[in-house]
Amino acid sequence: MMNMITTYGEIEKAISRLDDHEKAVLAHAILKDLDGDDDNADVEALWIEESEKRLDAYLDGELQTTEGDEAMARLRNSLK
């Protein structure tokens, strides 16, 4: 049976011993717990709907596109 961590300080020490991947997994679990699964399902459904609309617009020729290199150059210039 695992030892129970009872104080914030103990939790913080335990986290400091984790590698980066384990910390990322833990952070994801904490955020998922804070957000709740239902909210994430709604957001995911909205993003799927939006991506389908964008794909349809692209396939129908209704969407202006930009080459990847040009888009990245514009982004870099905008950040200067």
Side-chain angles (χ1 to χ4, degrees):
M1 188 158 142
M2 283 183 63
N3 293 337
M4 190 67 159
I5 299 173
T6 57
T7 69
Y8 176 79
E10 290 172 320
I11 293 170
E12 193 172 35
K13 286 178 187 175
I15 291 170
S16 72
R17 292 189 298 265
L18 299 175
D19 64 36
D20 288 345
H21 175 75
E22 292 169 322
K23 288 176 184 176
V25 170
L26 177 60
H28 178 74
I30 291 169
L31 290 172
K32 186 176 177 181
D33 184 63
L34 289 170
D35 289 342
D37 288 336
D38 293 337
D39 292 339
N40 290 335
D42 292 342
V43 170
E44 186 174 347
L46 289 171
W47 273 114
I48 290 170
E49 181 181 336
E50 180 64 24
S51 65
E52 289 172 347
K53 286 180 187 177
R54 291 180 187 194
L55 176 61
D56 289 343
Y58 171 75
L59 294 174
D60 291 341
E62 299 170 357
L63 188 65
Q64 182 179 355
T65 61
T66 304
E67 292 291 326
D69 291 341
E70 182 182 341
M72 292 304 294
R74 287 183 190 178
L75 178 61
R76 285 186 198 100
N77 287 334
S78 73
L79 297 174
K80 290 182 180 179

